[in-house]
């Protein structure tokens, strides 16, 4: 450990605010980007799944029950 | 490779070569504007305009820093080891400011060749090392200089 | 070699490979990055001149490095789009451009926060900082141009041309500190020479670069998979895969 105590680690001899701001912003942006990318991926998969199920529904027997699913269908943005 | 693809590839290569040449020539023509500062040699040669806000950069000459005791006013010389320029500054210096360290000063060159700065920034190099290593390097440097001096006096 | 190249153009083939590699990329990337950052923050010795503020280097250099190498990869993909009309190359450019924007922003931001205590200023219009800002605008331009054109094929070509035009900025960023005088110092890590850093600082830096590189690989795979799904949602293989519970 390059520091004597935890408070010295936080203070970083006066450079603490600079160093910790950088690390915090870095972690927030990288974690945020990972999270949003994963979320959008899941949303697209769910959207496709719902559409495929609905297609199967309309071509199959249980038309009335599946038709209500169109209202809850999530339109996934293309961007 | 398919002839159409070969043709497209040639176009892409020519496009990029053209852009590279154009940008290269432009940046070469503008090099004095892209340079952040004038170095002391250029200032000594009279290349820098006087009474216009410019930047001067180089190393703070060892032993040249004179601080006034009753104000923040400070005078030092900036050198690139072939020429040097006197700089006057009134304000708070950055933490890294020290003799032998790099600086970039912003201000005006007056007609007597004195550079009156209104902002001084510290410039550091790309070398990083722990303090102990820096200390031992400095000690080694000093003992080498001492040994040289001793050898010189012994030869007389 | 050409066979592999053409196989790579198949979105289905890529989708399978990406799914297989992604867990490894994520785990290895997170571990390396965490190791590098903790080592750099708490265990690496402080610098003789800058003290502890230099610890910002362990995120500043990896993000700047990634931002530039991602642009080079995008340019290579741009050539593939223009010459071979391979869809996957365009998918890559679209998936990666926002990541590049974020990394460029992070390197500029950390650089500014680092510059304040060491140089005495947040920002200066020297060649290195300005060319890096241009890179940020290039990434933004790529994203904006792609969104502005509705037709997929024309968007792909326009974006590829913009990426290729902008690639001249990369050598300018790299050599700006040598061709012109700047406030920014020259590179610490060099390709041909010894790095100007002792091992106990160099190892955490290399660890975090490697970790961020792998994390970028994970992000690129994930985002490319999303883009492939959006584009190929009407195809048979997507339907079969999703109905079989595939991810």
């Amino acid at each position: 450990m390059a520091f004597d105590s935890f408070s010295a680690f936080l203070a970083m001899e006066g450079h603490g605010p600079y160093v910790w701001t950088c690390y915090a912003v870095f972690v927030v942006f990288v974690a945020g980007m990972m999270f949003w990318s994963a979320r959008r991926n899941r949303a697209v998969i769910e959207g496709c799944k719902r559409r495929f199920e609905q297609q199967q529904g309309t071509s199959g027997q249980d038309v009335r029950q599946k038709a209500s699913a169109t209202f809850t269908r999530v339109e996934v943005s293309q961007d | 490779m398919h002839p159409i693809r070969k043709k497209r590839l040639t176009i892409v290569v020519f496009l990029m070569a053209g852009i590279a040449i154009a940008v290269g020539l432009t940046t070469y023509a503008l090099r004095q504007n892209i340079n952040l500062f004038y170095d002391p040699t250029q200032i000594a040669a009279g290349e820098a305009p006087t009474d216009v806000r410019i930047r001067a950069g180089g190393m703070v000459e060892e032993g040249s820093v004179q601080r006034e005791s009753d104000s923040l006013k400070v005078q030092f010389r900036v050198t690139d080891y072939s020429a040097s320029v006197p700089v006057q500054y009134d304000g708070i210096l950055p933490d890294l400011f020290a003799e032998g360290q790099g600086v970039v000063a912003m201000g005006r060159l007056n007609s007597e060749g004195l550079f009156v700065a209104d902002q001084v920034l510290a410039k550091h190099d790309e070398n990083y090392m722990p303090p102990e290593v820096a200390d031992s390097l400095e000690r080694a440097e000093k003992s080498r200089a001492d040994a040289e001096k001793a050898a010189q006096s012994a030869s007389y | 070699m050409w066979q592999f190249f053409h196989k790579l153009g198949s979105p289905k083939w890529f989708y399978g490979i990406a799914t297989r590699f992604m867990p490894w990329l994520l785990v290895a990337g997170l571990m390396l990055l965490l190791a590098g950052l903790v080592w750099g923050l708490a265990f690496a010795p402080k610098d003789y001149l800058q003290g502890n503020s230099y610890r910002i280097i362990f995120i500043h250099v990896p993000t700047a490095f990634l931002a530039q190498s991602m642009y080079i990869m995008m340019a290579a993909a741009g050539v593939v789009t223009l010459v071979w009309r391979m869809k996957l190359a365009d998918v890559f450019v679209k998936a990666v451009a926002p990541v590049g924007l974020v990394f460029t922003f992070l390197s500029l931001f950390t650089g500014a926060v680092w510059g304040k205590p060491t140089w005495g200023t947040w920002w200066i219009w020297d060649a290195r900082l300005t060319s890096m800002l241009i890179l940020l605008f290039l990434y933004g331009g790529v994203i904006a141009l792609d969104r502005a054109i509705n037709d997929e094929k024309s968007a792909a070509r326009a974006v590829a041309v913009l990426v290729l035009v902008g690639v001249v900025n990369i050598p300018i960023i790299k050599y700006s500190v040598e061709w012109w005088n700047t406030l920014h110092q020259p590179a610490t890590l060099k390709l041909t020479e010894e790095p100007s850093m002792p091992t106990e600082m160099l190892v955490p830096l290399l660890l975090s670069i490697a970790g961020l590189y792998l994390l970028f690989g994970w992000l690129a795979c994930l985002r490319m998979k999303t883009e492939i799904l959006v584009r190929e949602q009407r195809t048979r293989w997507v339907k079969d895969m999703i109905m079989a519970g595939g991810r």
Side-chain angles (χ1 to χ4, degrees):
Chain A
M1 191 89 177
F3 299 93
D4 299 327
S5 66
F6 189 68
S7 54
F9 179 50
L10 289 183
M12 295 227 161
E13 295 172 0
H15 289 310
Y18 299 104
V19 175
W20 292 112
T21 309
C22 282
Y23 278 76
V25 169
F26 173 77
V27 168
V28 166
F29 270 79
V30 171
M33 200 163 46
M34 291 168 71
F35 176 75
W36 284 109
S37 302
R39 219 176 91 130
R40 181 162 138 68
N41 181 261
R42 218 169 310 130
V44 170
I45 288 177
E46 294 300 317
C48 286
K49 203 174 194 168
R50 225 164 293 144
R51 206 164 44 81
F52 292 142
E53 276 167 2
Q54 189 205 343
Q55 274 170 7
Q56 265 176 359
T58 45
S59 62
Q61 67 281 46
D62 199 5
V63 184
R64 269 179 57 207
Q65 205 190 350
K66 289 288 177 190
S68 62
T70 44
F71 295 109
T72 53
R73 201 178 103 193
V74 177
E75 202 62 64
V76 177
S77 72
Q78 299 291 305
D79 52 41
Chain B
M1 220 197 289
H2 201 280
I4 288 186
R5 289 178 186 156
K6 203 169 254 175
K7 199 178 133 202
R8 287 194 205 129
L9 187 62
T10 326
I11 294 172
V12 168
V13 167
F14 272 100
L15 170 89
M16 289 184 60
I19 295 163
I21 292 169
V23 172
L25 289 175
T26 317
T27 48
Y28 183 74
L30 293 174
R31 64 196 181 284
Q32 192 49 61
N33 294 325
I34 296 172
N35 276 334
L36 185 70
F37 52 82
Y38 290 94
D39 52 41
T41 309
Q42 287 172 306
I43 294 176
E47 281 177 43
T50 53
D51 277 330
V52 176
R53 251 171 87 86
I54 55 165
R55 294 196 192 93
M59 295 295 192
V60 180
E61 205 170 275
E62 299 274 357
S64 73
V65 179
Q66 295 168 343
R67 291 169 201 270
E68 262 171 45
S69 50
D70 54 342
S71 72
L72 286 170
K73 221 172 223 172
V74 60
Q75 277 225 17
F76 55 90
R77 297 185 73 84
V78 168
T79 176
D80 59 0
Y81 303 113
S82 59
S84 77
V85 177
V87 177
Q88 189 184 61
Y89 176 61
D90 190 358
I92 298 163
L93 288 162
D95 293 350
L96 259 57
F97 180 90
E99 291 180 357
Q101 279 296 325
V103 283
V104 173
M106 189 157 191
R108 286 164 207 274
L109 193 65
N110 70 13
S111 45
E112 289 105 68
L114 177 73
F115 192 88
V116 183
D118 50 51
Q119 190 188 22
V120 173
L121 301 175
K123 178 171 162 61
H124 62 86
D125 64 13
E126 73 276 27
N127 298 307
Y128 301 88
M129 55 182 128
E132 308 87 62
V133 178
D135 283 350
S136 63
L137 268 184
E138 201 173 316
R139 242 177 287 128
E141 180 78 10
K142 213 174 159 202
S143 66
R144 200 176 54 89
D146 287 348
E148 238 165 54
K149 217 180 272 170
Q152 242 171 15
S153 54
S155 67
Y156 286 132
Chain C
M1 196 243 141
W2 285 110
Q3 205 188 349
F4 172 77
F5 192 64
H6 288 293
K7 222 175 171 183
L8 198 65
S10 150
K12 186 187 170 188
W13 182 82
F14 173 82
Y15 202 97
I17 290 286
T19 312
R20 192 134 34 99
F21 278 113
M22 271 175 63
W24 298 102
L25 287 172
L26 181 65
V27 170
L30 280 180
M31 270 167 42
L32 286 179
L33 186 64
L34 199 70
L37 293 189
V38 170
W39 188 342
L41 262 179
F43 296 97
K46 69 174 184 183
D47 181 55
Y48 75 109
L49 186 66
Q50 303 179 33
N52 287 308
S53 65
Y54 99 97
R55 293 184 198 278
I56 295 172
I57 202 174
F58 299 110
I59 48 179
H60 177 72
V61 168
T63 48
F65 185 79
L66 254 293
Q68 292 171 69
S69 44
M70 274 159 66
Y71 199 91
I72 296 173
M73 289 185 235
M74 275 170 53
V79 173
V80 174
T81 302
L82 288 178
V83 176
W84 284 273
R85 301 278 143 91
M86 198 181 278
K87 273 193 212 154
L88 203 61
D90 176 48
V91 168
F92 176 80
V93 173
K94 277 178 196 176
V96 154
V99 184
L101 185 80
V102 169
F103 281 2
T104 312
F105 167 77
L106 280 173
S107 76
L108 283 169
F109 179 84
T110 53
V113 176
W114 190 6
K116 187 66 193 166
T118 42
W119 298 341
T121 183
W122 301 100
W123 182 263
I124 189 160
W125 293 99
D126 83 346
R128 170 56 74 83
L129 276 65
T130 310
S131 55
M132 206 60 194
L133 188 68
I134 292 172
L135 186 68
L136 186 81
F137 294 154
L138 278 171
Y139 275 121
V142 166
I143 296 169
L145 186 63
D146 177 50
R147 293 197 178 183
I149 304 174
N150 278 327
D151 177 56
E152 202 173 85
K153 272 186 187 152
S154 11
R157 277 174 222 172
V159 163
V161 171
L162 175 61
V163 170
L164 284 180
V165 169
V167 82
V168 280
N169 191 34
I170 296 292
I172 294 181
I173 295 175
K174 170 133 179 51
Y175 293 106
S176 56
V177 286
E178 287 164 31
W179 290 343
W180 302 290
N181 57 41
T182 52
L183 186 61
H184 195 287
Q185 69 282 4
T188 299
L189 302 175
K190 301 166 198 97
L191 279 178
T192 50
E193 291 164 58
E194 290 271 295
S196 46
M197 221 182 197
T199 322
E200 62 264 45
M201 296 174 175
L202 182 66
V203 175
L205 182 58
L206 293 179
L207 280 178
S208 35
I209 292 176
L212 201 63
Y213 227 108
L214 294 179
L215 266 193
F216 155 69
W218 180 82
L219 265 172
C221 283
L222 179 67
R223 298 177 64 90
M224 281 175 81
K225 277 172 69 176
T226 313
E227 182 70 26
I228 288 172
L229 279 184
V230 170
R231 291 185 183 196
E232 308 256 313
Q233 50 185 314
R234 312 210 179 277
T235 58
R236 183 86 221 165
W237 72 269
V238 168
K239 188 171 179 181
D240 290 347
M241 181 200 59
I242 285 188
M243 294 316 273
R247 289 256 117 192

